[in-house]
Amino acid sequence: MKYQCPVCFYDGLPYPPADYHICLCCGTEFGNDDADFSHAQLREMWIESGARWFFREPPVEWNPRVQLVKAGMLEVIPDSQTRVIIDAAFASIGEDADYQKQEVLIAEEFSRTDWEALVISERELAGVEG
């Protein structure tokens, strides 16, 4: 039986999130970390630190954003509205035979200031200055 982490919503935990077991995805130690912080606070800290996989290599095609979206947590993803629009636009390009034409149209719609804001938010999320 697999269990779900109440912090990052990874659904492949081999043990219940209790008794000092550690989430492979976010690294939360249940009974220790969640004694000092709520699951929402731990989730926020995990996302702010880059939402990286904690232990060894992540599962193939693992994506923290997809994991959070599946759990109904879209609102906790920084710049989620911008990301949804961009992801949807580029997903539709992959299905379109006129790829180059669509790419140009989207690039024209996506202004330079939007791009700069996205780059800045990505840097902040990764903890990089400049």
Side-chain angles (χ1 to χ4, degrees), residues 4-11 25-26 39-40 42-48 50-52 62-78 80 83-84 125:
Q4 186 177 57
C5 175
V7 174
C8 69
F9 301 103
Y10 174 62
D11 61 2
C25 178
C26 67
H39 292 154
L42 290 166
R43 182 179 315 112
E44 185 177 319
M45 289 186 284
W46 175 66
I47 291 169
E48 286 177 0
R52 292 178 183 86
W62 173 78
N63 183 317
R65 288 181 25 224
V66 171
Q67 183 170 293
L68 291 167
V69 168
K70 284 182 180 178
M73 300 301 294
L74 182 64
E75 69 276 0
V76 302
I77 302 171
S80 60
R83 291 173 193 268
V84 168
L125 184 63

Side-chain angles (χ1 to χ4, degrees), residues 17-92:
D19 303 325
Y20 302 100
H21 293 292
I22 298 173
C23 176
L24 305 170
C25 178
C26 67
T28 298
E29 182 178 11
F30 302 103
N32 184 25
D33 295 332
D34 55 357
D36 296 325
F37 300 98
S38 71
H39 292 154
Q41 289 171 317
L42 290 166
R43 182 179 315 112
E44 185 177 319
M45 289 186 284
W46 175 66
I47 291 169
E48 286 177 0
S49 69
R52 292 178 183 86
W53 185 263
F54 177 73
F55 185 71
R56 295 190 181 165
E57 294 297 316
V60 177
E61 297 182 24
W62 173 78
N63 183 317
R65 288 181 25 224
V66 171
Q67 183 170 293
L68 291 167
V69 168
K70 284 182 180 178
M73 300 301 294
L74 182 64
E75 69 276 0
V76 302
I77 302 171
D79 298 325
S80 60
Q81 184 61 31
T82 302
R83 291 173 193 268
V84 168
I85 293 167
I86 294 168
D87 290 348
F90 281 100
S92 67

